[in-house]
Amino acid sequence: MQFNDTSTYDGLVQDLERKLFAGDYGYISGSTARLKTFTSYLNNALADVSVALLMSDGRWEFDDHNKTTQPVGRTALVSGQKQYELDNDYIVVDKVVVKDSSGNGYELKRIGVDEISGDPEEVFEGGGVPTHFDLRGPDIVLYPTPNYSYALGLVCYFRRKMGNFAYTDTTKEPGFSNAFHENVSLLAAASYAEDNTMESAEGLRKRADAKITSLKKFNMKRGRDSATVIRPRRTNSR
């Protein structure tokens, strides 16, 4: 479902016009001020759907179809630097890998400050090849602090939030299965109706909650029907 489709009335904006304003097409799309307001509601709904998808991930991990890059961050390891800023889009960190001075990669173990007996700086003093990491706000903290530098030696695999709509968008779609695009407009409609004490608020919220439940079930089942083993293809050279 596209963001704003004034030709076939099949966009998210038009779905809001149906659900909230009895199909008064143009009520939102024909007003820049209203379009900006409802874009905010739709983006809040996208955030809610992102959380639902991430909480129900099966083996097939969700990522926004609209993204043109992989959810992997790479940066240089700097000798004496233990703290590195994460990408602003990240929600969950799945894996952190560092390379030693020879280019060999090692997956780090996550550890919290409360799991370290004593001062972390003393426990991991002296520097070396990092073996553990912690997350503090927007940063990854490495233990011990690397005592060498390596180009693109820190790799972070993460899951990220969906990209927002701009009020000027037209053909852009939510970055997940189109069978569940109505989740976004339903959640947005329910929130608007509640904020404005509309009679339809309760019914819209029930429908939105039911849709989210269906989305979670679908996402949990996806990729879990059977254990998947990936093997290299073998060819007969004779």
Side-chain angles (χ1 to χ4, degrees), residues 79-237:
S79 181
Q81 179 180 327
K82 67 177 180 180
Q83 211 152 318
Y84 299 82
E85 188 173 1
L86 284 161
D87 188 288
N88 289 332
D89 281 347
Y90 100 95
I91 296 179
V92 177
V93 171
D94 289 319
K95 181 188 294 188
V96 177
V97 174
V98 297
K99 293 182 179 180
D100 62 18
S101 57
S102 299
N104 300 307
Y106 300 92
E107 182 177 350
L108 305 188
K109 295 180 180 178
R110 184 170 180 179
I111 189 169
V113 172
D114 57 334
E115 299 176 79
I116 301 173
S117 179
D119 185 344
E121 302 304 323
E122 294 179 0
V123 173
F124 292 100
E125 68 177 344
V129 178
T131 55
H132 294 74
F133 77 97
D134 190 15
L135 296 176
R136 292 186 197 166
D139 296 337
I140 292 177
V141 182
L142 304 181
Y143 298 114
T145 301
N147 59 0
Y148 62 96
S149 296
Y150 198 91
L152 302 183
L154 176 62
V155 185
C156 178
Y157 298 84
F158 57 92
R159 281 172 277 176
R160 55 193 173 184
K161 61 186 178 182
M162 283 189 275
N164 283 344
F165 289 115
Y167 79 94
T168 53
D169 281 333
T170 52
T171 59
K172 184 177 179 179
E173 299 184 354
F176 56 93
S177 173
N178 58 14
F180 296 99
H181 284 182
E182 191 189 7
N183 282 70
V184 180
S185 51
L186 258 177
L187 283 167
S191 294
Y192 179 85
E194 289 166 348
D195 289 348
N196 292 275
T197 60
M198 297 174 70
E199 291 183 5
S200 59
E202 185 178 354
L204 286 168
R205 178 57 63 187
K206 286 181 179 179
R207 289 174 61 192
D209 289 346
K211 276 282 199 179
I212 284 291
T213 299
S214 295
L215 175 65
K216 287 180 178 179
K217 288 181 178 178
F218 169 81
N219 205 48
M220 288 174 70
K221 183 176 176 60
R222 186 180 186 185
R224 284 191 171 182
D225 289 334
S226 60
T228 300
V229 178
I230 299 175
R231 297 186 178 91
R233 176 179 294 178
R234 300 181 184 279
T235 58
N236 193 331
S237 60

Side-chain angles (χ1 to χ4, degrees), residues 54-65:
L54 289 171
M55 288 175 64
S56 60
D57 262 356
R59 285 196 182 93
W60 195 280
E61 293 177 350
F62 160 76
D63 194 39
D64 187 339
H65 301 169

Side-chain angles (χ1 to χ4, degrees), residues 46-57:
L46 272 178
D48 290 340
V49 173
S50 290
V51 172
L53 286 166
L54 289 171
M55 288 175 64
S56 60
D57 262 356

Side-chain angles (χ1 to χ4, degrees), residues 20-51:
L20 295 169
F21 307 111
D24 184 6
Y25 298 117
Y27 181 79
I28 300 173
S29 58
S31 165
T32 299
R34 293 192 191 106
L35 193 54
K36 289 180 178 180
T37 295
F38 282 95
T39 299
S40 178
Y41 275 100
L42 288 168
N43 283 333
N44 287 339
L46 272 178
D48 290 340
V49 173
S50 290
V51 172

